[in-house]
Amino acid sequence: MKDPDRLRSHRWYGGEDLRNFSHRSRARQLGLNPEEHLGKPVIAILNTWSDINPCHMHLRERAEQVKRGVWQAGGYPVEFPVATLSETYQKPTPMLYRNLLSMETEEILRSYPVDGAVLMGGCDKTTPALLMGAASADVPVIFVPAGPMLRGHWRGETLGSGTDLWKYWDDRRAGLIGDAEIAELETGLARSPGTCMTMGTASTMTSAAEVLGLSLPGAAAIPAVDSAHHRMAAASGARVVEMVWEDLRISHIASAEAYADAVTTVLALGGSTNAVIHLIAMAGRGRVSLSLGDFDEIARRVPVLADIRPGGAYLMEDFYYAGGLPGLLSRLSGLGLLNTDRVVATGRSLGAEIEGARVHDDDVIRPATRPVAAEGGLAVLRGNLAPAGAVIKHIAAEPRLLRHTGPAVVFDGYSDLKRRIDDPSLDVTADSVLVLRGAGPLGGPGMPEYGMLPIPDRLLAEGVRDMVRVSDARMSGTSYGACVLHVAPESHVGGPLALVRSGDLITLDVPNRTIRVELDDAELERRRAAWTPPTPRFERGYGALYAAHITQADQGCDFDFLAREGTNPEPDPR
């Protein structure tokens, strides 16, 4: 029922006391007439646009289309600039600041006269951050994904941002291409606004938002510059106004069944390993239990159906024209792998939204009889090297390395890696296991995307393009290779990775889901007794807050005080 007195914003603008009078007078200062906003749902537009975020450089314009939709549906839009978290520029990693944006999101939605919100993001950490904060605030929200950029081009080849960056940089290090080719590649890899057009973390997480039911159906794959993206933004603004009147909050949508479907979809997409951390954190904010074990269990029964780089051949534009996420979901539903009765942002069931969805290219979105891989693209590993778990995107690795034993070559932090990886005296062969430690949530700090350790240049020159690599870091969703990531507990807190020495044998066995160092418990205990904790990195500021409260990778790297049970009281604006 549309009762304006029941709007959250009515507590600011309605009534006849001093504070209500003050709020209305300030609205007149903004140039607003009473009929423009009083009695209407106030819709916050949280915009992660900035001048230094190429993934989001169109969101300033797109916010105008969202506002158009809000106005047309009878709401009042208010745009808020929030942290941009640019994956391409922010150091040491925007992952360090994901929880900061989540806090900003939560507190803006809580502290202002907001009835609902449109969340605008897409670059890797912005999607989970916005949704984590919104889940904690629990107001009606809809997510507008930034959309993937256009495909890249170079000398007749189709390029995928990130994935081909790594590939051609290795070719340069191997002496196969030179400065002229690299200069051309700089202008061909990323040609428009939007996120990476591979199935990197950006498209993985926007797809997860869509299948959770927090975006309009089909939104995630629309190219950023396509006119359909304009229309989706306007439709999202219009829809959230109705969600306010329906009181369709995020807690009514993002259920345990929705998160199970999100994991299923990420695995069927061959999605980024980063989704493991983000979905666990997002679920935790919604008081939904989700663990590494859930990912592993679902992965064993879900085939990879999307043939998208880096684990496949195509790009997001191809995926969109092949039917997008609704097309993929229709195939997963046909296999009985989805919970189709649950409600999504439209107010209808997931099943109703994907009924009639079609796949237009069976090479891009494969039928179950011809999958890219028979089981999900991620595997969860455990063993004495990762007692709390680790992950590997095994569909992006050379198959010969999925069962491998080799001697460790250990690097203590990224600076040590950069200094020694190409040293001619480094004792390394193609059978070695490259180990990077000191790159986890605390050690990184922020768990940077260092997990795709570079292959020594002399091995590249010999034609080696993949090696087993193990770290407590993350890896870009656009990366590839036999990279074991998110080793937990991390070395910085005394996890077993801190005890490994160069020359120790490490065994990776993906079919049996194990990663271990070939040392007995007694030797590990002797080394642990001699281990000295590193000195704290931060003495003050946000870094000190981060270090005091960050959880480990298997727990989602959320802040413990944000992830725990409990509520915040609604502010009293009077």
Side-chain angles (χ1 to χ4, degrees):
M1 181 178 178
K2 296 184 178 181
D3 181 358
D5 290 349
R6 300 187 66 165
L7 292 172
R8 187 173 179 272
S9 58
H10 181 76
R11 295 171 48 225
W12 275 260
Y13 295 121
E16 297 300 330
D17 69 11
L18 172 64
R19 291 299 179 188
N20 302 138
F21 167 68
S22 172
H23 295 144
R24 292 194 298 269
S25 72
R26 293 302 185 176
R28 305 302 157 260
Q29 181 187 9
L30 288 168
L32 295 173
N33 292 313
E35 61 271 18
E36 292 183 76
H37 73 104
L38 291 182
K40 297 181 177 182
V42 176
I43 304 300
I45 301 171
L46 271 58
N47 194 347
T48 51
W49 172 89
S50 82
D51 272 331
I52 202 168
N53 193 333
C55 304
H56 294 180
M57 61 181 174
H58 57 307
L59 292 188
R60 171 183 272 181
E61 174 192 3
R62 214 57 86 244
E64 296 304 312
Q65 281 110 41
V66 172
K67 291 176 186 177
R68 186 178 83 220
V70 173
W71 284 119
Q72 289 173 342
Y76 172 61
V78 181
E79 186 175 357
F80 292 85
V82 293
T84 192
L85 304 192
S86 173
E87 193 69 36
T88 48
Y89 288 106
Q90 194 167 26
K91 292 184 180 296
T93 167
M95 184 64 179
L96 185 66
Y97 304 103
R98 183 199 68 181
N99 297 342
L100 183 63
L101 175 55
S102 83
M103 293 169 68
E104 183 181 18
T105 299
E106 177 180 353
E107 297 308 325
I108 283 176
L109 297 181
R110 189 190 310 284
S111 61
Y112 280 95
V114 167
D115 298 302
V118 176
L119 312 174
M120 303 186 70
C123 191
D124 295 13
K125 312 306 175 292
T126 57
T127 301
L130 291 166
L131 293 175
M132 287 163 67
S136 295
D138 198 23
V139 298
V141 300
I142 199 163
F143 181 73
V144 170
M149 68 178 86
L150 298 177
R151 60 171 67 90
H153 291 284
W154 178 68
R155 296 188 178 184
E157 294 188 31
T158 299
L159 301 178
S161 59
T163 301
D164 283 309
L165 179 148
W166 316 120
K167 171 188 171 184
Y168 285 108
W169 190 254
D170 281 351
D171 282 353
R172 186 190 190 199
R173 292 175 61 221
L176 301 178
I177 60 175
D179 291 344
E181 290 85 354
I182 285 293
E184 290 178 16
L185 282 160
E186 283 182 10
T187 64
L189 271 168
R191 301 171 42 249
S192 79
T195 58
C196 290
M197 75 298 257
T198 52
M199 188 50 68
T201 306
S203 286
T204 300
M205 293 311 302
T206 56
S207 296
E210 182 179 326
V211 74
L212 280 169
L214 301 174
S215 293
L216 291 183
I222 303 172
V225 296
D226 195 298
S227 63
H229 201 268
H230 299 238
R231 298 191 296 273
M232 177 271 294
S236 297
R239 175 56 195 155
V240 79
V241 174
E242 295 304 315
M243 292 173 72
V244 169
W245 292 124
E246 296 164 11
D247 194 29
L248 185 55
R249 289 176 281 126
I250 193 168
S251 61
H252 301 155
I253 297 172
S255 62
E257 292 78 14
Y259 274 102
D261 289 347
V263 173
T264 295
T265 303
V266 164
L267 293 166
L269 287 167
S272 168
T273 50
N274 288 315
V276 178
I277 292 175
H278 296 320
L279 285 173
I280 288 174
M282 289 162 57
R285 293 293 189 93
R287 305 295 174 252
V288 171
S289 177
L290 186 66
S291 69
L292 287 177
D294 295 316
F295 277 85
D296 195 52
E297 187 273 326
I298 294 173
R300 293 175 186 269
R301 54 186 171 85
V302 174
V304 180
L305 299 182
D307 193 5
I308 306 174
R309 300 183 200 180
Y314 295 95
L315 296 170
M316 287 301 295
E317 259 187 279
D318 307 304
F319 182 65
Y320 175 62
Y321 295 122
L325 200 64
L328 178 85
L329 295 180
S330 71
R331 293 207 155 157
L332 293 176
S333 176
L335 296 172
L337 295 172
L338 297 177
N339 298 283
T340 54
D341 291 337
R342 59 186 178 83
V343 70
V344 296
T346 60
R348 305 194 326 148
S349 70
L350 175 65
E353 290 299 344
I354 63 175
E355 185 178 359
R358 297 288 182 268
V359 173
H360 310 299
D361 190 331
D362 285 344
D363 288 331
V364 180
I365 303 174
R366 301 279 193 91
T369 55
R370 191 169 54 88
V372 177
E375 62 177 38
L378 305 180
V380 176
L381 310 172
R382 298 185 188 275
N384 68 353
L385 197 55
V391 300
I392 184 173
K393 187 172 183 176
H394 55 90
I395 64 165
E398 289 189 9
R400 65 181 177 82
L401 295 173
L402 299 183
R403 273 198 171 108
H404 180 82
T405 298
V409 180
V410 179
F411 300 95
D412 285 304
Y414 189 65
S415 296
D416 183 39
L417 173 69
K418 286 187 68 176
R419 185 176 64 254
R420 294 196 296 123
I421 190 66
D422 292 324
D423 187 335
S425 67
L426 184 68
D427 185 11
V428 62
T429 71
D431 291 327
S432 298
V433 176
L434 304 179
V435 175
L436 174 65
R437 59 189 176 207
L442 276 170
M447 211 178 177
E449 293 181 340
Y450 298 158
M452 186 180 167
L453 280 68
I455 294 170
D457 56 9
R458 72 173 185 270
L459 296 181
L460 286 173
E462 295 171 8
V464 177
R465 286 296 184 270
D466 200 3
M467 296 174 66
V468 174
R469 289 159 273 185
V470 180
S471 74
D472 46 16
R474 294 179 301 111
M475 180 173 82
S476 168
T478 65
S479 300
Y480 51 87
C483 301
V484 177
L485 312 158
H486 311 179
V487 170
E490 65 174 306
S491 61
H492 199 83
V493 299
L497 203 63
L499 312 178
V500 177
R501 297 173 183 169
S502 289
D504 291 342
L505 291 178
I506 291 177
T507 297
L508 169 66
D509 188 342
V510 173
N512 287 307
R513 302 297 197 264
T514 59
I515 179 75
R516 58 175 287 106
V517 57
E518 300 299 338
L519 299 171
D520 60 31
D521 292 344
E523 176 60 21
L524 287 172
E525 285 304 317
R526 281 192 291 272
R527 294 185 186 185
R528 183 170 286 108
W531 178 75
T532 303
T535 56
R537 287 181 172 271
F538 299 101
E539 295 183 354
R540 57 165 302 282
Y542 173 73
L545 174 72
Y546 175 95
H549 295 285
I550 195 68
T551 61
Q552 287 291 295
D554 61 303
Q555 300 170 300
C557 296
D558 201 358
F559 288 160
D560 54 12
F561 63 87
L562 295 175
R564 68 185 175 218
E565 294 282 347
T567 59
N568 284 348
E570 274 282 298
D572 185 351
R574 301 177 190 274

